[in-house]
Amino acid sequence: MTMFWTIWISVITLGSIIGCYVLLRWCLKNNAGVPEGESMGHEFDGIEELNNPLPKWWTYLFYVCIVWGFIYLALFPGLGSFDGLLGWKSSHQNIQSLEESRQKSQAAKESGALVKYDREMKFAEEKYNPIFEEYAKVPVEELAKDPNALKVGQRLFAQNCSQCHGSDARGQNGGFPNLTDDDWLYGGSGDKIKETLLNGRKAAMPGWIDAMGEQGIKETVAYVLSLSGRDTDQQLRKAGKARFAACAACHGQDGKGNQMLGAPNLTDNIWLYGGSERAVTETLTHGRNGVMPSFKDTLGENKIHVVATYVYSLSNPN
């Protein structure tokens, strides 16, 4: 920490403590113009206000706190870069806390707490695994008609997927798709949704600034925006159409995308990272590399089957 900030913090901190002392001394003086112990002339509901000073114990407690404040700041860090006379550091405390946590964990294990947890987990697996195994035997499209399975899937979704896709599964800007519509990057069948949940997905949209330059990006953006029906500069659009040949390898000549590659349809008005000119320019300039994690190890295939069923039902209501 620089000397400026050290002085700044020290002045504010010490000034506040000294200010408390000054305020306390001022409050101890009789400035009301009424002798102590006599009436202030106020009465409400039979209660009369008297001009009494602060109780002695309260006053002494204030003094103790003020003195303790100075002692604490002398012993421990609190005044900018001053380490305190004891040389205490939070990093030492963190190491100590980790060691204490390890010891407590070991003690809990020895006392049987972890044994109890394992026993409860085993009981839950024995009770619920057969239910998930039965669900897994039913195709996603058919299981989506089972209201009980959908309730289970909804709970699993809320616990594992809602952090990114939202509790309503409508996603959010920044690479988290809406799961309630019929627009799917990798396919919206039951098997494809399961595949996504099991293995995860990794986007591979490259940045084109080195290959196209700023002018080329501008032209391509104009053409891409025109694919979804927006009016753009005719000359830029024409030049961008020629450049789009480099994009057609993934998005197709017509710009309708390719679910085998996870390349989105550019002819609709659904944009994962935003469809403004600025957002599309950023996508073409820097690329996109969003990641959908795999839940195979977290949930297991049978539970993923139920989650996939719930997700499928969102865009295919009965």
Side-chain angles (χ1 to χ4, degrees):
M1 186 176 292
T2 65
M3 182 58 65
F4 170 79
W5 288 113
T6 296
I7 296 175
W8 179 275
I9 293 171
S10 300
V11 169
I12 293 178
T13 303
L14 296 176
S16 297
I17 297 177
I18 295 172
C20 288
Y21 173 78
V22 172
L23 181 62
L24 176 62
R25 296 296 302 175
W26 182 81
C27 289
L28 292 175
K29 295 180 179 179
N30 185 3
N31 298 311
V34 177
E36 291 186 0
E38 295 189 8
S39 174
M40 295 290 293
H42 304 147
E43 182 178 338
F44 178 77
D45 198 22
I47 300 175
E48 185 178 14
E49 181 182 1
L50 303 179
N51 183 24
N52 287 326
L54 286 174
K56 292 296 183 181
W57 67 269
W58 201 347
T59 303
Y60 294 149
L61 184 60
F62 273 123
Y63 284 132
V64 169
C65 289
I66 291 171
V67 173
W68 168 245
F70 285 113
I71 294 175
Y72 179 92
L73 291 172
L75 298 177
F76 296 96
L79 299 176
S81 58
F82 177 62
D83 292 335
L85 300 178
L86 297 181
W88 182 93
K89 293 184 180 297
S90 59
S91 57
H92 298 163
Q93 183 68 16
N94 291 338
I95 295 174
Q96 183 180 358
S97 298
L98 288 173
E99 180 62 22
E100 291 177 354
S101 298
R102 187 193 67 78
Q103 293 176 357
K104 289 180 181 179
S105 177
Q106 182 65 24
K109 184 176 182 180
E110 292 174 355
S111 65
L114 295 182
V115 174
K116 181 180 179 181
Y117 172 78
D118 291 339
R119 184 168 61 248
E120 291 176 350
M121 288 296 296
K122 184 178 179 180
F123 173 78
E125 290 174 357
E126 292 175 350
K127 181 177 181 179
Y128 297 112
N129 278 358
I131 299 175
F132 285 108
E133 289 173 0
E134 290 300 315
Y135 282 151
K137 296 176 182 178
V138 184
V140 167
E141 289 78 2
E142 185 177 343
L143 189 62
K145 301 175 183 178
D146 186 334
N148 291 326
L150 293 180
K151 289 180 181 178
V152 175
Q154 184 180 24
R155 293 189 183 97
L156 290 172
F157 180 91
Q159 295 166 359
N160 298 275
C161 312
S162 61
Q163 293 84 350
C164 293
H165 296 281
S167 57
D168 59 358
R170 294 186 180 277
Q172 54 185 321
N173 192 18
F176 308 106
N178 182 353
L179 304 178
T180 65
D181 57 23
D182 58 357
D183 186 79
W184 297 89
L185 288 176
Y186 296 93
S189 66
D191 289 340
K192 281 296 180 181
I193 296 174
K194 278 188 64 177
E195 181 181 320
T196 298
L197 286 165
L198 282 169
N199 304 320
R201 302 289 186 183
K202 182 167 177 33
M205 166 68 188
W208 290 95
I209 186 64
D210 293 334
M212 294 184 176
E214 291 186 8
Q215 181 61 25
I217 294 289
K218 189 174 183 180
E219 293 168 352
T220 307
V221 168
Y223 178 70
V224 169
L225 293 177
S226 72
L227 292 175
S228 57
R230 277 181 278 183
D231 186 25
T232 58
D233 184 272
Q234 185 175 1
Q235 290 184 343
L236 291 176
R237 185 169 66 245
K238 184 177 180 180
K241 183 175 183 180
R243 292 183 179 276
F244 188 78
C247 311
C250 294
H251 295 280
Q253 291 291 344
D254 56 2
K256 291 187 178 295
N258 185 340
Q259 290 186 347
M260 292 291 293
L261 302 174
N265 182 357
L266 304 177
T267 65
D268 56 21
N269 201 28
I270 299 175
W271 302 87
L272 195 57
Y273 293 93
S276 66
E277 181 178 350
R278 180 178 179 180
V280 177
T281 299
E282 184 177 347
T283 297
L284 280 166
T285 301
H286 303 294
R288 300 292 185 181
N289 294 283
V291 176
M292 160 71 188
S294 166
F295 283 87
K296 185 176 183 179
D297 295 334
T298 306
L299 294 176
E301 189 167 353
N302 290 342
K303 290 182 180 179
I304 282 178
H305 186 85
V306 181
V307 177
T309 299
Y310 173 70
V311 173
Y312 175 84
S313 72
L314 294 174
S315 56
N316 295 276
N318 295 327

